[in-house]
Amino acid sequence: MLPGVIALLPRAVEQVGVALIRPQVGFVVVELSVIVSAEPNHVLIVVWVAHPEMVAQVRRARRGRGGRMGHMREDDARHLERCIELARAARDRGDRPFGSLLVGRDGQVLKEAMNCEVTERDVTGHPELELARWASRNLSPAERAAATMYTSCEHCAMCATAHYWAGIGRLVFALSGIQLRSMLPAGAPVLTLDTRDVFARGNLDVTVEGPFPELETPARAVHQGYW
């Protein structure tokens, strides 16, 4: 967002001046500020403008930022708790502590998945990637759009991209990428591109919900001592 127009106008024509100001072609007005100027009887009018696509990206990124106790449904809590159980099971068998599941429109669990990076010797063995692939092979576009992916921790950039291209309509996670990165040792490889940032680059609507403070403790616990 950039200050597209800055005008110093006499107070007497403030309203007329605002009406006459237009941003550059192809841009839209996002915000307007009126500031009293040091110049006697004048005001400084700043019109903030942005390209429409930039505005749309911000709106998409902000969509679904819920996650407080009052917004967490009972079924969401149940599915996320199961994801955390799957993450624990993955860790117990020697893999990284991540678990996910896919739920259909009717609330039925369609498929579960655990991290398999170690046991399958595949660094891309993330559970969300497995679910996105399964969904693309076994569900219709309408069924994928109505489905929800639950995961113990927010997608990495790879899994977010797979989720997006699979057309899965909703994502719910317990622990955020930021929270996970705060637990990693110094120098650990990271890619700081979070899910909302990835989805905001596209033109498909994907609802994103999380993290949830009420599940932060158990979601963190499965990682304690691992990294």
Side-chain angles (χ1 to χ4, degrees):
M1 188 168 69
L2 301 172
V5 181
I6 301 177
L8 185 64
L9 300 173
R11 271 187 175 278
V13 296
E14 176 181 337
Q15 296 304 320
V16 176
V18 171
L20 292 175
I21 290 174
R22 294 290 183 272
Q24 300 175 30
V25 175
F27 284 70
V28 296
V29 173
V30 176
E31 183 179 336
L32 184 144
S33 302
V34 178
I35 306 170
V36 176
S37 172
E39 185 76 16
N41 299 317
H42 282 67
V43 291
L44 183 67
I45 296 179
V46 180
V47 180
W48 294 85
V49 300
H51 191 277
E53 178 56 27
M54 183 184 299
V55 176
Q57 287 180 7
V58 171
R59 287 174 178 166
R60 287 194 294 269
R62 288 176 176 172
R63 186 179 292 115
R65 285 186 182 271
R68 297 183 179 181
M69 178 71 78
H71 295 91
M72 189 176 189
R73 301 200 305 255
E74 183 178 344
D75 56 341
D76 288 340
R78 183 176 69 256
H79 292 316
L80 287 176
E81 288 167 354
R82 176 56 181 162
C83 289
I84 295 171
E85 291 176 357
L86 292 170
R88 173 64 66 182
R91 178 175 177 172
D92 288 346
R93 75 178 185 186
D95 285 300
R96 293 191 168 186
F98 300 99
S100 309
L101 54 85
L102 190 66
V103 174
R105 181 195 295 272
D106 60 0
Q108 296 299 308
V109 176
L110 302 174
K111 186 172 179 60
E112 297 182 340
M114 296 185 291
N115 183 280
C116 61
E117 291 182 58
V118 178
T119 54
E120 296 293 331
R121 295 192 295 177
D122 179 3
V123 295
T124 68
H126 296 194
E128 306 102 308
L129 185 59
E130 178 182 341
L131 292 179
R133 286 171 169 164
W134 182 89
S136 68
R137 293 168 181 157
N138 294 278
L139 302 178
S140 69
E143 289 172 326
R144 297 197 299 272
T148 298
M149 188 183 295
Y150 291 88
T151 185
S152 59
C153 185
E154 183 179 1
H155 290 334
C156 68
M158 174 184 70
C159 293
T161 304
H163 183 129
Y164 180 86
W165 287 120
I168 299 169
R170 182 170 176 247
L171 167 67
V172 183
F173 58 85
L175 195 69
S176 72
I178 293 175
Q179 291 170 324
L180 175 64
R181 290 193 292 272
S182 72
M183 304 176 69
L184 300 179
V190 296
L191 180 58
T192 55
L193 183 60
D194 293 320
T195 305
R196 289 182 174 93
D197 298 323
V198 174
F199 291 168
R201 297 287 181 173
N203 61 356
L204 301 179
D205 287 334
V206 182
T207 300
V208 181
E209 299 180 30
F212 292 94
E214 55 267 48
L215 289 179
E216 181 177 354
T217 297
R220 280 182 177 272
V222 75
H223 293 273
Q224 293 291 344
Y226 180 83
W227 305 102

